[in-house]
């Protein structure tokens, strides 16, 4: 039986391959240049037009906020001495412009979106900041269980320049082995106790993006002590955290 003849393979001329390679290089270069130009255009984009009423309302809100802070100066916020960590979560926007001082503190704390939450170390300076932004946030004293559940369910960190879920101890070991932190349990303990590596861990982690509670928040413009939503919830913040996990 005669062997079956195999069809000859098609060959591509070398000149054509060079031409294709050059075209690919040009396409990549054009794509990079296009992205650069887009970034420049975005940077030069004009600020949105704001009517005079916007600035009047902003000035009014700033004045009201300053008066509120002045009244609070005579009120002492009693936080138990055993509390080392505070949980702060951004509430819904109150209609109208926001005072500049409030906006800057919210940006500094990375509370730029609704239901964003962060863990911060308790200090007098932090309490003063919270009092300024209080109508826009709710806060309290998280338990060890709450911190554990937040990190395990909604914890994200930056690994090799990429936002990654903290679902593996490998990420922690690769990033913090020199600090003696090898697993997520070590991270939870370090944060709850406000250990020496607390600031490093908080900078590494992204703000928690929580789900709104079932039925949403009610009376967002009223303080928690008056059956509203914003303000200090003390230990009751743990009940809210469980509803949003």
């Amino acid at each position: 039986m005669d062997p079956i003849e195999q069809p000859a393979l098609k060959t591509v001329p070398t000149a054509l391959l060079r031409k294709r390679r050059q075209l690919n290089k040009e396409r990549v270069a054009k794509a990079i240049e296009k992205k650069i130009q887009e970034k420049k255009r975005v940077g030069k984009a004009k600020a949105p037009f704001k009517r005079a009423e916007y600035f009047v309302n902003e000035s009014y809100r700033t004045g009201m906020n300053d008066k509120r802070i002045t009244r609070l100066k005579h009120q002492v916020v009693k936080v138990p001495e055993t509390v080392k960590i505070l949980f702060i979560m951004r509430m819904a926007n109150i209609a109208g412009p926001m005072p500049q001082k409030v906006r800057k503190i919210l940006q500094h704390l990375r509370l730029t979106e609704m239901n964003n939450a962060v863990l911060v170390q308790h200090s007098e300076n932090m309490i003063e900041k919270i009092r300024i932004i209080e109508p826009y946030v709710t806060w309290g004293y998280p338990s060890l269980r709450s911190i554990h559940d937040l990190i395990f369910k909604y914890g994200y960190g930056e690994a090799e320049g990429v936002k990654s879920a903290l679902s593996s101890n490998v990420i922690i070991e690769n990033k913090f082995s020199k600090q003696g932190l090898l697993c997520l349990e070590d991270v939870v303990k370090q944060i709850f106790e406000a250990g020496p590596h607390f600031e490093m861990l908080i900078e590494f982690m992204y703000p928690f993006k929580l789900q709104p509670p079932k039925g949403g928040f009610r009376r967002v413009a009223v303080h928690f002590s008056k059956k509203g939503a914003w303000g200090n919830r003390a230990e009751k913040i743990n009940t809210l955290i469980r509803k949003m996990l």
Side-chain angles (χ1 to χ4, degrees):
M1 186 175 180
D2 296 335
I4 299 174
E5 293 184 2
Q6 297 291 338
L9 296 175
K10 294 182 179 180
T11 59
V12 181
T14 306
L16 183 57
L17 289 174
R18 287 201 195 99
K19 187 176 180 181
R20 287 178 180 174
R21 195 178 299 116
Q22 183 62 30
L23 288 173
N24 286 335
K25 287 181 180 179
E26 290 176 0
R27 288 195 193 100
V28 171
K30 286 180 180 179
I32 293 173
E33 181 64 23
K34 185 178 180 181
K35 287 185 178 180
I36 292 172
Q37 294 300 327
E38 285 178 356
K39 287 182 178 180
K40 287 182 179 179
R41 283 197 296 272
V42 170
K44 294 179 180 179
K46 294 182 179 179
F49 175 76
K50 295 178 181 178
R51 296 182 179 277
E53 290 84 350
Y54 176 91
F55 298 101
V56 172
N57 290 335
E58 184 179 38
S59 177
Y60 172 75
R61 281 195 175 276
T62 301
M64 293 295 291
N65 198 54
D66 291 341
K67 289 181 181 179
R68 179 183 62 83
I69 295 168
T70 302
R71 290 196 304 270
L72 290 174
K73 284 183 179 180
H74 305 289
Q75 301 176 13
V76 179
V77 179
K78 295 182 179 180
V79 179
E81 294 181 359
T82 55
V83 173
K84 297 181 180 179
I85 302 300
L86 303 175
F87 172 89
I88 312 173
M89 189 186 73
R90 175 76 182 273
M91 300 291 295
N93 264 334
I94 297 174
M98 184 186 298
Q100 283 285 350
K101 189 182 292 186
V102 172
R103 185 180 292 109
K104 287 181 179 179
I105 294 176
L106 288 173
Q107 289 174 348
H108 175 71
L109 294 174
R110 301 183 295 172
L111 297 173
T112 55
E113 297 180 14
M114 301 303 102
N115 301 324
N116 268 17
V118 293
L119 297 168
V120 298
Q121 198 164 354
H122 171 224
S123 66
E124 290 184 7
N125 183 43
M126 183 56 65
I127 294 297
E128 288 301 315
K129 289 181 179 179
I130 291 174
R131 294 176 86 166
I132 294 172
I133 63 173
E134 198 166 26
Y136 298 85
V137 300
T138 187
W139 62 288
Y141 324 139
S143 63
L144 177 61
R145 177 189 170 186
S146 293
I147 293 175
H148 175 279
D149 292 347
L150 283 168
I151 292 174
F152 272 75
K153 293 184 179 181
Y154 287 97
Y156 281 83
E158 189 170 320
E160 298 181 358
V162 179
K163 183 179 180 181
S164 305
L166 301 181
S167 57
S168 171
N169 292 329
V170 176
I171 297 175
I172 303 302
E173 186 176 358
N174 291 341
K175 191 80 176 178
F176 301 106
S177 58
K178 292 181 180 179
Q179 287 76 28
L181 305 176
L182 304 176
C183 61
L184 287 171
E185 294 291 349
D186 292 340
V187 173
V188 172
K189 183 179 179 182
Q190 185 75 199
I191 290 177
F192 180 70
E193 296 177 354
H197 308 302
F198 175 84
E199 291 296 336
M200 185 185 299
L201 289 169
I202 294 302
E203 288 179 7
F204 160 73
M205 295 172 61
Y206 284 78
F208 302 107
K209 182 66 176 176
L210 304 180
Q211 299 294 328
K214 189 175 181 180
F217 291 102
R218 296 181 180 178
R219 305 182 74 191
V220 293
V222 181
H223 194 278
F224 180 72
S225 61
K226 298 178 181 179
K227 298 183 180 181
W230 63 268
N232 185 10
R233 295 177 182 240
E235 289 83 3
K236 291 183 180 179
I237 195 70
N238 295 293
T239 304
L240 176 63
I241 292 173
R242 285 194 289 275
K243 289 180 179 179
M244 300 182 73
L245 289 175

